[in-house]
Amino acid sequence: VSDRSKSGQRFDELRGEQVVYAIHRQERTFLPSREHCPLDPTRPGGPQTEIPFPSFEIAVFDNRFPAFETPLGAAEVVVYTDQHDGSFGTLAPERAEALMWVWRHRYMELGAREDIDYVMIFENRGVEVGVTLHHPHGQIYGYPFLPPVPALQLAADERLGGCAPCLLMGGELKDGRRLLHENDAVVAYIPYAARWAYEAHVTLREHRPSLLDCEPEELRLLSSALQAVVRGYDALFERPFPYVMVVHQAPTAAGAGAGGPGAGAGSPGAGARGAERRGAGGHLHVEFYPPLRTAEKLKYLAGSEQGAGTFISDTLPEESAAALREAIARAA
Amino acid sequence: MAREPAAPPPSDRPEQGARPGADERAEPAERYGPVALARHVKDDGRALLLFTRAEREPT
């Protein structure tokens, strides 16, 4: 890490994983006043922001303080709206649906790059998970390597002898006690072995390795289910509910998939192309990791979680699911 | 890399509101499914993409 303005990686031999040093991020904008939000549009007479237009719908730009950047990855910011207040859950349904296409576009373009092995779309919501800007937005990291969590999920496919999300979703549908929300394309549930009290997985019913393999109607129903879960979160304790939301998809590294990230980009026939790519590993699903275990108490990663890698949970997934299911219904 | 056919922008609202000098390197809008995107380059060289929901089919 010789150039302090650039990120660098070191490999932790003891844990067998990469650590990224992005020391320039120490200087990034931290909880600015509402008048100085860099994600607002640039209004006449107002301060210059990241988006030099007086209005916009959805904006994507290179992160000013990137953890990854060309030629070793990418870091982008996705601004959901030019309205400073609100959240993913309060977006109009049409805007949330459009966001799915923006995600898909960025997965396609970033995943086609030789230097990017894994595209991760995510949102941090709430100061409890380290948010530094309140304006509704998410981020995209293009990793120049396959990170440990998606690698573990691919290993689960091998261990279970098939697509793990497909098999696990089937088990949840059969059991039923942890289901949160369903529509024709998507199932939301708290997993059997959830680590967080209100962890939720939102999974495509059909085997879709990535957003590129989805039919347009599936994208619409995915956005609808995601909004239902987030609105339920806010209704659960009648407060803005912090979470980390992560879109899990197939790796994009050369050799990771038969078709590559551009293979299923069209709308008609995307499902057929997706079928050809089975075996590539990965099944599109969105995971939420909310740190709240009660309305006021946070789950901290302490001794067992950090030292042993074993989560100790204070709640049972079935009981959490019953409460969250009721909140989702109430917020609908 | 596969890409759906480009199409005229369904809306030119962002371009109408551009600050002087901020949009000199903007490229024509592209169509991607139900959204259109316009590519810009910020003053410091970073990419900026503006997506709008395209209500009209390209002609």
Side-chain angles (χ1 to χ4, degrees):
Chain A
V1 189
S2 56
D3 183 347
R4 297 179 68 85
S5 69
K6 301 287 185 185
S7 296
Q9 297 170 38
R10 296 181 184 182
F11 187 73
D12 178 347
E13 292 286 0
L14 194 59
R15 296 179 62 106
E17 63 189 33
Q18 298 282 356
V19 179
V20 175
Y21 295 84
I23 56 179
H24 52 285
R25 285 175 55 78
Q26 280 279 46
E27 307 304 321
R28 69 187 184 276
T29 310
F30 183 76
L31 298 175
S33 67
R34 180 192 178 102
E35 294 73 29
H36 293 89
C37 174
L39 305 186
D40 276 2
T42 299
R43 297 194 171 87
Q48 179 96 11
T49 72
E50 288 280 23
I51 302 108
F53 298 92
S55 65
F56 63 88
E57 293 184 13
I58 299 174
V60 178
F61 58 85
D62 291 331
N63 197 318
R64 184 180 166 201
F65 303 96
F68 303 99
E69 59 187 312
T70 305
L72 280 174
E76 296 184 339
V77 178
V78 183
V79 188
Y80 302 162
T81 169
D82 61 5
Q83 300 299 304
H84 182 80
D85 296 312
S87 67
F88 173 76
T90 63
L91 295 176
E94 298 78 16
R95 179 65 57 84
E97 180 186 1
L99 182 62
M100 302 298 107
W101 285 88
V102 172
W103 287 356
R104 170 170 155 149
H105 181 272
R106 301 318 301 148
Y107 177 83
M108 177 183 73
E109 283 209 344
L110 294 173
R113 281 173 43 175
E114 290 290 329
D115 61 321
I116 293 177
D117 288 353
Y118 189 74
V119 177
M120 190 177 88
I121 299 162
F122 65 101
E123 177 189 340
N124 299 327
R125 183 191 186 202
V127 294
E128 295 87 346
V129 297
V131 155
T132 56
L133 300 173
H134 287 304
H135 193 116
H137 74 287
Q139 300 183 62
I140 304 174
Y141 279 0
Y143 291 85
F145 54 85
L146 182 65
V149 169
L152 282 171
Q153 295 197 349
L154 292 178
D157 292 351
E158 298 263 332
R159 191 173 66 251
L160 296 175
C163 172
C166 282
L167 294 167
L168 295 171
M169 175 180 57
E172 295 295 348
L173 285 166
K174 187 174 180 182
D175 184 301
R177 289 176 297 165
R178 291 172 296 276
L179 294 177
L180 298 172
H181 178 80
E182 291 183 66
N183 61 36
D184 287 345
V186 175
V187 179
Y189 57 89
I190 292 183
Y192 170 74
R195 300 191 303 169
W196 304 91
Y198 296 98
E199 178 176 337
H201 292 193
V202 181
T203 305
L204 271 290
R205 289 183 187 273
E206 295 295 320
H207 182 79
R208 306 293 191 219
S210 78
L211 291 160
L212 294 174
D213 302 296
C214 291
E215 299 292 345
E217 180 64 3
E218 290 178 312
L219 295 179
R220 186 184 71 79
L221 291 170
L222 174 60
S223 68
S224 172
L226 293 175
Q227 286 200 298
V229 170
V230 170
R231 289 169 180 163
Y233 276 150
D234 286 351
L236 182 63
F237 298 134
E238 297 183 337
R239 55 161 288 182
F241 201 86
Y243 59 73
V244 174
M245 173 177 73
V246 176
V247 182
H248 292 260
Q249 302 185 77
T252 59
S267 296
R273 279 191 291 275
E276 291 169 7
R277 295 173 61 203
R278 283 186 194 206
H283 179 136
L284 169 63
H285 68 285
V286 180
E287 297 187 6
F288 289 88
Y289 319 121
L292 286 179
R293 56 188 173 91
T294 72
E296 307 293 339
K297 295 175 184 169
L298 290 168
K299 166 66 180 174
Y300 291 100
L301 302 188
S304 184
E305 290 81 7
Q306 296 203 52
T310 297
F311 262 66
I312 309 292
S313 180
D314 308 295
T315 55
L316 279 175
E318 294 75 25
E319 294 174 1
S320 296
L324 183 53
R325 184 167 56 240
E326 188 276 331
I328 290 171
R330 183 158 28 100
Chain B
M1 176 174 61
R3 177 173 295 168
E4 294 168 15
S11 166
D12 60 356
R13 185 179 64 163
E15 283 75 7
Q16 288 175 335
R19 289 167 67 97
D23 197 21
E24 291 173 353
R25 287 170 284 180
E27 296 179 6
E30 306 161 22
R31 183 75 179 262
Y32 186 72
V35 299
L37 68 141
R39 298 179 190 268
H40 303 266
V41 180
K42 291 160 65 72
D43 289 342
D44 60 6
R46 286 181 292 141
L48 168 65
L49 306 181
L50 295 180
F51 290 85
T52 55
R53 188 170 174 86
E55 299 297 345
R56 299 193 304 262
E57 289 298 317
T59 54

